[in-house]
Amino acid sequence: MDLPLVYHEEYSFSFPAAHRFPMDKFVRLRDHLQATGVLHQANLHTPERCDGQTLALAHDPGYVSRFANAELTREEQRRMGLPWSEALWQRTTRAVGGSLLTADLALRHGLACHLAGGTHHAHFDFASGYCIFNDLAIISRALLAAGRVRRILIFDCDVHQGDGTATILQNDPDAITVSLHCDSNFPARKAHSDWDIALPRGMGDRDYLRTVDEALSYLLPLYQPDLVLYDAGVDVHRDDALGHLQLSDQGLAQRDRMVLDHCLGRDIPVCAVIGGGYSPDREALARRHGILHHTARAVWCERGLR
């Protein structure tokens, strides 16, 4: 068995080309991973859509209904940052289902990666920053409620703070929120994660990797989680359009390897999602996101996971 990967063709759909959100990056990532042999028919897992009851584990049912029925106000749509469409509803619920499937596969096999996910700006009753439903919070609530995990740790390395995740899970003592983010970036008003590690603008590979190593070395033994949700955002890259850090491709690969080695070395399963990444060069962006999956596959093979 090869590294489990989760994807569905609904993740990318016809979308305004000039829009800042790169809706086509998901299919381009799929194509890149297929072309390089990382993704193939035997390790491709396709998700079901997430139902309203599961969405309501972390979201206001009224908000879920308003989004489903195209009843968001103009202000709500502006804050969401995306134009509503039936395809967006289908894509959004399918992608949350994909994150839930990835977590299930991680618990069964030790490691699994999504080709989407990491919608950490979505709040209990409103969308924000291109994030509609918070897959990290939904996974946490679903697995804890089902008794499949005793404690879960979210290790969010997107360049932007996971404010929605922090707010939704602020009263969930067994869902630990950790956010490493650039301090001078969206959102302007930060929430309070269990652990906020604010990084200065312009930080490069060496200092960033030292911070990641120190955080994991302290937090994993402290909490001893049964699962880590790893948000592997690539908007920390020096060429990202919306980030202010200076990581290289090699720095991203070292970060991903470090997170996986820290967790798997302690027998903690990892569910990895891709998080943010923004660039007008969509092919370069797809390759950047693919660093996670290439690194994860190498770790999978080295550790003999099945």
Side-chain angles (χ1 to χ4, degrees), residues 199-259:
L199 310 173
R201 183 186 289 247
M203 177 179 277
D205 289 350
R206 185 183 65 180
D207 291 338
Y208 184 91
L209 292 169
R210 183 174 64 246
T211 302
V212 170
D213 184 48
E214 291 174 351
L216 291 168
S217 296
Y218 181 75
L219 295 172
L220 293 179
L222 176 65
Y223 290 107
Q224 300 178 29
D226 300 306
L227 177 68
V228 166
L229 305 183
Y230 172 41
D231 186 335
V234 300
D235 40 13
V236 295
H237 194 273
R238 61 192 176 198
D239 293 330
D240 192 83
L242 298 183
H244 299 304
L245 301 185
Q246 294 292 316
L247 268 70
S248 65
D249 285 0
Q250 183 182 20
L252 286 176
Q254 289 176 306
R255 178 197 67 178
D256 295 342
R257 160 72 69 159
M258 184 178 291
V259 172

Side-chain angles (χ1 to χ4, degrees), residues 56-217:
L57 290 173
H59 292 285
D60 171 47
Y63 162 59
V64 175
S65 176
R66 290 200 312 279
F67 179 73
N69 295 300
E71 295 173 351
L72 297 182
T73 66
R74 180 175 297 180
E75 174 59 25
E76 285 178 310
Q77 290 195 56
R78 184 198 65 77
R79 195 167 192 175
M80 179 168 67
L82 300 168
W84 190 94
S85 67
E86 181 65 27
L88 181 65
W89 162 253
Q90 293 174 356
R91 182 241 177 268
T92 299
T93 52
R94 184 78 71 176
V96 176
S99 290
L100 286 162
L101 176 58
T102 307
D104 176 68
L105 290 165
L107 287 173
R108 286 194 272 149
H109 301 286
L111 175 62
C113 295
H114 199 184
L115 274 68
T119 45
H120 62 173
H121 296 311
H123 287 253
F124 173 69
D125 56 359
F126 64 90
S128 177
Y130 312 137
C131 299
I132 298 161
F133 300 127
N134 194 308
D135 59 339
L136 302 171
I138 292 167
I139 292 170
S140 300
R141 290 264 177 89
L143 293 180
L144 287 165
R148 297 193 63 192
V149 297
R150 175 184 52 87
R151 183 174 295 128
I152 197 164
L153 187 143
I154 299 168
F155 196 69
D156 188 342
C157 289
D158 193 283
V159 80
H160 307 104
Q161 191 208 32
D163 57 329
T165 314
T167 302
I168 293 172
L169 297 176
Q170 62 184 335
N171 295 318
D172 294 50
D174 294 322
I176 312 304
T177 55
V178 183
S179 180
L180 285 78
H181 54 267
C182 181
D183 57 0
S184 56
N185 210 327
F186 179 88
R189 181 177 297 176
K190 303 294 190 287
H192 296 286
S193 309
D194 292 310
W195 294 87
D196 283 305
I197 304 172
L199 310 173
R201 183 186 289 247
M203 177 179 277
D205 289 350
R206 185 183 65 180
D207 291 338
Y208 184 91
L209 292 169
R210 183 174 64 246
T211 302
V212 170
D213 184 48
E214 291 174 351
L216 291 168
S217 296

